[in-house]
Amino acid sequence: MERGVKITISSPVKAFLSEYSEEELSSLKKALTYTNTAVKFLIKKHYNNHFWKSRNPTSWQEHLNGLQKDLKKTLVFEEDGKFYIRPGSIPYLTSFNLEIENQIVYPTPKKIPWLKPPKYILYPYQEEAWTKLLIEKHGNVSLCTGSGKTKTIIKLCRETGFRAAIIAPSKSIFYELIEEFNSSFGKSKVGTFGDSKKKIGKLFTICINDSLSNVKEGTPEWGFFSGLDAIYVDESHQWAAESMESTCHGIFANVPYRLFFSGTQVRGDGSQILLN
């Protein structure tokens, strides 16, 4: 049997390539390259800014160079002469013959008690969602608006007991999650990080994605979040792709369980590969 490209997942954000040909590497790069259509639009708009170009051609060109640099992105990276991809890209590389070794050590789930048991019973699709995500460890599920994503996330938290960040896209969902988690598990287990609320050190931390983007490496907040067991991202498609990338591959780089919830896991700015 023909051997494929060997991929060694050494961390939640790095899967190193080995035993590949130049042709295979080139094909991987091609498959993991995308054009950001939002940047493409900005370039077109910039070309039409004749006033800027005539007034200060140097700064106009510098800005254009920066935009062109961001136009195409390749999700094959190099570190110390070795190439790696994001582990989240692997399931989408269905046309490649891959040999995968996962070296990540995952925490063991440990069910925790309810403060107030829910009065509702999960629908079969919600049960299927959380059980399959727990098996997958790094994956996503599409549940339409009103289908109970929050209830599914709370069930995951109850069944695993992981130290987790639950990430909301907006203030309104942030406060809804705080209320639900306080009711389900008690305020002693629930922290907050967003809208000027910073209470870390709890079992569960409800966050707003924009607040996480501002955390600096070396701070107590960075140390806390980088040591968690899991992240659960609500409405993941609403998180700006570049912000999600910098956060998930920065402050959360060492977090092993990475589960994403959304009504639709689709983007319209050309960065679908990055979201994947």
Side-chain angles (χ1 to χ4, degrees):
M1 182 176 178
E2 183 182 355
R3 297 192 65 179
V5 179
K6 184 174 181 181
I7 297 182
T8 303
I9 305 174
S10 61
S11 80
V13 298
K14 292 182 180 181
F16 283 92
L17 310 176
S18 61
E19 300 178 15
Y20 56 83
S21 66
E22 288 301 317
E23 182 180 355
E24 287 170 325
L25 179 60
S26 178
S27 296
L28 272 171
K29 287 181 177 180
K30 184 177 180 180
L32 292 176
T33 296
Y34 68 95
T35 299
N36 190 317
T37 56
V39 175
K40 187 176 182 179
F41 171 78
L42 291 176
I43 290 175
K44 182 179 180 181
K45 186 177 179 181
H46 185 65
Y47 271 115
N48 292 329
N49 194 331
H50 303 293
F51 176 75
W52 184 354
K53 186 176 182 180
S54 61
R55 185 180 181 185
N56 194 331
T58 300
S59 67
W60 183 91
Q61 185 63 49
E62 289 175 349
H63 186 70
L64 176 62
N65 293 342
L67 289 172
Q68 290 175 332
K69 184 179 179 181
D70 292 332
L71 179 61
K72 285 186 177 290
K73 295 283 188 178
T74 300
L75 303 184
V76 178
F77 310 92
E78 188 174 1
E79 180 181 85
D80 298 328
K82 298 180 180 179
F83 291 100
Y84 70 89
I85 63 175
R86 302 300 187 189
S89 295
I90 295 173
Y92 300 92
L93 299 173
T94 55
S95 62
F96 292 86
N97 182 21
L98 305 176
E99 294 182 12
I100 302 166
E101 178 187 358
N102 192 346
Q103 297 179 343
I104 299 173
V105 178
Y106 295 94
T108 302
K110 186 178 181 180
K111 186 184 294 188
I112 62 170
W114 297 107
L115 172 68
K116 182 181 177 182
K119 296 180 180 179
Y120 56 81
I121 296 176
L122 293 184
Y123 290 106
Y125 69 84
Q126 292 170 315
E127 290 283 355
E128 182 182 15
W130 80 259
T131 53
K132 286 188 174 181
L133 283 172
L134 189 56
I135 293 170
E136 193 67 28
K137 299 181 178 64
H138 184 171
N140 71 81
V141 64
S142 295
L143 297 173
C144 65
T145 301
S147 60
K149 290 187 286 293
T150 296
K151 291 181 174 63
T152 308
I153 293 172
I154 286 176
K155 178 66 171 178
L156 264 169
C157 290
R158 143 79 170 176
E159 295 297 322
T160 62
F162 291 151
R163 296 171 300 123
I166 298 88
I167 304 163
S170 64
K171 289 183 183 180
S172 59
I173 295 179
F174 172 70
Y175 284 106
E176 288 173 10
L177 286 168
I178 292 172
E179 184 177 351
E180 292 274 2
F181 270 77
N182 283 343
S183 175
S184 298
F185 304 112
K187 292 182 178 181
S188 64
K189 288 186 171 65
V190 182
T192 54
F193 198 80
D195 196 26
S196 300
K197 298 180 182 296
K198 293 185 179 181
K199 183 170 66 174
I200 61 174
K202 304 295 184 179
L203 183 62
F204 307 121
T205 309
I206 315 301
C207 311
I208 297 178
N209 52 29
D210 288 343
S211 299
L212 291 165
S213 300
N214 297 323
V215 179
K216 303 298 182 184
E217 190 170 0
T219 61
E221 291 85 1
W222 184 285
F224 169 73
F225 284 115
S226 64
L228 296 180
D229 301 317
I231 55 172
Y232 307 125
V233 182
D234 193 13
E235 299 295 358
S236 50
H237 76 288
Q238 293 186 25
W239 199 349
E242 286 74 19
S243 298
M244 175 181 278
E245 181 188 34
S246 64
T247 302
C248 290
H249 302 150
I251 192 171
F252 292 132
N254 295 317
V255 178
Y257 277 86
R258 313 163 76 82
L259 306 178
F260 301 84
F261 301 77
S262 184
T264 172
Q265 299 289 0
V266 175
R267 296 191 65 88
D269 60 359
S271 60
Q272 184 64 42
I273 293 175
L274 180 58
L275 180 65
N276 293 344

